[in-house]
Amino acid sequence: MSRLLQLSKPSAWTLEPDISTLAPNSGWSNKDMDPVPPHLRTWTTWNYVSYWISDATNVAVWELASSMLAIGLSWRQALPAIAVGHVIIAVVMVLNGTIGARLHIAFPVLNRSSFGFWFSYFSVISRTILAMFWYSIQTYTGSECVYQMLKAIWPSLARVPNHLPHSSNITSVGLMCYLLYWLIQFPLMLVSPQRIRHLFTAKSIIVPIAWFSILIWALVKAPVRIGLEPKHTSLSGSASSWAWLSSLNSALGIYSTLAVNIPDFTRYAKNERAQFVQFLIIPTAFTLMGFIGIAVTSAGEVMYGATLWDPLHIVDRWESRAAAFFASFSFVLATLGTNISANSISAANDMTALFPRYINIRRGQVICAVIGGWALCPWEILASAPGFLSFMSGYTVFLGPFAGIMVVDYWLIHKGNVDVPAMYDPNGRYRYWKGINWRAAVALLLSVTPSLPGLIANINTNIKVGNVIHLFDIAWLFGFFSASGIYWVLSTLFPARETFINKPILLAMAKTKYSLWVHTTSRKKAMMLR
């Protein structure tokens, strides 16, 4: 009983700060927030290759490519949109990723140097909410994959009666599969970021084999001359151009979150060069997987007479139970890897910055699993809140400016000369004005506002906003370049001189603190021996 009473006190959950922490006190950092020490920098070039192959083999990527055909583009137009979009996002990924690999700090800490210590919490909190939301949706997607696996083993599962009311928006079997997937996923969330890379390696081998097998099956059943060749664009003129740009923006948006918080992963790189491969692997992997989605969906139209954008709907129509099981298993693994990399680890890193005294990455992932997995009830969101889904999908209006401001601040304004210890100090040089870099605030306001009418019209289609809706069609591109330009102009005309230094300050202060601790401890021991 006394043990339970102790656990009820906040002090029982307090994390011990690292000896060499850069923060002025334990309330501002913990071991997971501090710069990654050399012995934990384990990610190699191959790890980043497998990471991105793992993320490219994702149900959302499959459906993204296929959905471009739904708006009237031909497959020859859709593939370049995917390729160009991922070339752009790869450039941003490497620019922001290099910062993480060079400084070995996470996104929530790095963001303080450009947004200001306190204003950075706006992007951190919004990223946390977004990550938990998508964790919830991806977990539900994974549960549908588990259902197909179980149905392949026991076909009678499809006939199990439902004992939940219709208003629940989920069936008894659906809830069972959701619980099973959540239980499969949860233990993997307790694995450290240094070791979880092995899951990405396994996924990058197993899932592409399965997807290429599905592609071969599709091309045998419906060769290119039947499935793809007859498909031509149904658009012309400006409608075709805007549709292509909108598709390009969709390709950018699917991993626009990681373009912002990629330092959460590149901080573990053995060196800067290890993550440069992202520039090549991202557009290659995503374009290839996009083609698989387009080809298989087109083949499904020929064989089943319906446009099945969701690959699980195609698997559901297969007669071979073994093929259905292994295909569904590949989608389970695909969803697992993506949900952990893009959502739970990101949310956990953000939560460590919000409550560093009590939350580390492992605890953050547990919180994400509970809130994102159960409190948000994804089946309710998917069934009854299309407007909310549209709003969350439209969050790219913020992510483009976030990424642009980070890139310009580090590479053009400060030219890489930043003070890492000051990023952990609320009273340090990145305090700006009351903890707010007003230049970033103005750039964010001016770059986001023009896209808001389009976002509103996307949420509520009854609202007509005219041609201004096209800005929302290119929200990421507009936000990135407009915020970058505005921030550069303001920072050049009104420089924050207190943040400029001649060379970067990295771990010197931490080493000084550690040396002082060692010296003090040695003296105490010597006095005790006397």
Side-chain angles (χ1 to χ4, degrees):
M1 188 66 180
S2 60
R3 177 61 177 166
L4 290 175
L5 289 174
Q6 288 181 349
L7 290 175
S8 65
K9 298 178 180 178
S11 59
W13 297 93
T14 302
L15 296 166
E16 289 295 326
D18 194 65
I19 295 168
S20 60
T21 183
L22 299 185
N25 60 64
S26 62
W28 296 111
S29 188
N30 58 47
K31 291 181 180 180
D32 285 347
M33 268 190 73
D34 283 340
V36 178
H39 70 281
L40 294 179
R41 299 169 192 170
T42 56
W43 283 49
T44 64
T45 296
W46 168 247
N47 292 133
Y48 287 103
V49 170
S50 60
Y51 173 86
W52 282 112
I53 293 176
S54 168
D55 268 14
T57 49
N58 174 16
V59 176
V61 176
W62 181 301
E63 293 178 342
L64 167 74
S66 303
S67 64
M68 290 181 182
L69 304 185
I71 63 173
L73 295 182
S74 70
W75 70 274
R76 289 187 177 87
Q77 291 173 312
L79 280 182
I82 295 170
V84 173
H86 284 96
V87 166
I88 295 171
I89 212 71
V91 171
V92 179
M93 205 77 71
V94 170
L95 288 172
N96 279 332
T98 300
I99 306 173
R102 183 176 293 179
L103 307 181
H104 304 288
I105 57 177
F107 155 71
V109 177
L110 170 63
N111 206 31
R112 294 168 179 172
S113 64
S114 52
F115 281 73
F117 194 93
W118 295 115
F119 187 45
S120 69
Y121 280 75
F122 169 70
S123 58
V124 171
I125 292 172
S126 56
R127 271 285 305 130
T128 305
I129 296 171
L130 188 70
M132 287 197 290
F133 167 82
W134 286 116
Y135 173 88
S136 174
I137 300 298
Q138 287 279 351
T139 301
Y140 187 78
T141 300
S143 72
E144 293 181 313
C145 302
V146 169
Y147 171 77
Q148 292 296 336
M149 284 178 62
L150 296 179
K151 190 167 74 71
I153 302 173
W154 298 289
S156 59
L157 187 69
R159 299 187 295 275
V160 172
N162 176 36
H163 297 287
L164 295 176
H166 181 71
S167 59
S168 299
N169 294 315
I170 190 171
T171 64
S172 301
V173 172
L175 190 59
M176 177 193 73
C177 292
Y178 186 86
L179 174 62
L180 286 174
Y181 181 83
W182 189 90
L183 291 173
I184 293 168
Q185 182 173 247
F186 185 76
L188 294 171
M189 297 174 67
L190 304 180
V191 181
S192 69
Q194 291 88 0
R195 294 182 178 178
I196 198 65
R197 69 187 194 278
H198 300 306
L199 171 65
F200 303 141
T201 301
K203 179 186 168 185
S204 69
I205 296 171
I206 297 171
V207 178
I209 291 174
W211 283 29
F212 276 110
S213 299
I214 297 173
L215 174 64
I216 293 170
W217 164 83
L219 293 179
V220 169
K221 293 289 185 179
V224 173
R225 67 179 185 277
I226 298 174
L228 289 176
E229 285 296 337
K231 292 187 175 299
H232 300 288
T233 180
S234 58
L235 304 173
S236 60
S238 61
S240 177
S241 299
W242 281 115
W244 191 87
L245 287 172
S246 178
S247 297
L248 172 66
N249 191 71
S250 297
L252 287 162
I254 197 166
Y255 274 102
S256 57
T257 51
L258 269 174
V260 172
N261 71 286
I262 189 62
D264 289 346
F265 295 94
T266 56
R267 64 192 293 224
Y268 300 107
K270 283 194 171 184
N271 51 59
E272 290 180 39
R273 296 186 301 277
Q275 55 89 42
F276 287 164
V277 72
Q278 295 180 110
F279 180 71
L280 295 176
I281 192 61
I282 290 175
T284 302
F286 280 82
T287 304
L288 183 56
M289 297 308 160
F291 173 75
I292 292 176
I294 291 173
V296 175
T297 300
S298 299
E301 289 184 21
V302 174
M303 288 182 286
Y304 305 118
T307 303
L308 305 174
W309 309 116
D310 187 340
L312 293 175
H313 291 169
I314 294 178
V315 172
D316 189 50
R317 301 193 179 204
W318 288 356
E319 295 179 359
S320 172
R321 289 162 56 188
F325 175 85
F326 287 112
S328 299
F329 172 76
S330 75
F331 287 113
V332 167
L333 188 56
T335 310
L336 274 174
T338 301
N339 214 14
I340 291 172
S341 65
N343 298 319
S344 72
I345 290 180
S346 299
N349 272 294
D350 293 340
M351 281 186 268
T352 61
L354 296 175
F355 306 102
R357 189 187 294 270
Y358 302 106
I359 299 179
N360 55 18
I361 290 178
R362 178 171 291 182
R363 291 180 182 180
Q365 291 204 83
V366 171
I367 293 171
C368 179
V370 174
I371 296 178
W374 295 103
L376 293 182
C377 298
W379 50 88
E380 294 286 353
I381 295 173
L382 292 170
S384 59
F388 183 64
L389 276 173
S390 297
F391 170 75
M392 297 304 288
S393 299
Y395 193 76
T396 53
V397 300
F398 293 97
L399 295 173
F402 287 167
I405 291 170
M406 289 172 64
V407 168
V408 170
D409 183 79
Y410 183 83
W411 292 105
L412 299 183
I413 302 302
H414 290 101
K415 297 179 171 60
N417 297 321
V418 294
D419 183 350
V420 173
M423 297 179 196
Y424 292 84
D425 187 352
N427 297 310
R429 69 173 75 246
Y430 298 116
R431 180 176 171 79
Y432 292 99
W433 177 78
K434 298 183 182 301
I436 300 172
N437 182 358
W438 64 266
R439 303 155 193 82
V442 172
L444 189 63
L445 179 66
L446 296 181
S447 59
V448 168
T449 303
S451 297
L452 292 182
L455 175 60
I456 294 170
N458 189 50
I459 295 171
N460 186 347
T461 54
N462 293 323
I463 298 176
K464 304 301 180 184
V465 296
N467 289 331
V468 74
I469 196 173
H470 291 312
L471 274 181
F472 180 72
D473 291 336
I474 55 170
W476 193 95
L477 288 168
F478 177 81
F480 179 87
F481 288 108
S482 60
S484 298
I486 294 167
Y487 184 75
W488 181 83
V489 170
L490 292 176
S491 298
T492 302
L493 295 177
F494 309 99
R497 299 190 186 281
E498 70 277 12
T499 66
F500 287 90
I501 53 180
N502 294 326
K503 60 181 180 179
I505 301 174
L506 303 178
L507 303 181
M509 184 178 290
K511 291 177 180 176
T512 302
K513 287 184 178 181
Y514 180 71
S515 299
L516 181 61
W517 178 84
V518 171
H519 178 67
T520 305
T521 305
S522 299
R523 287 189 62 186
K524 287 181 179 179
K525 287 183 178 179
M527 291 176 68
M528 290 174 66
L529 289 173
R530 290 176 187 173

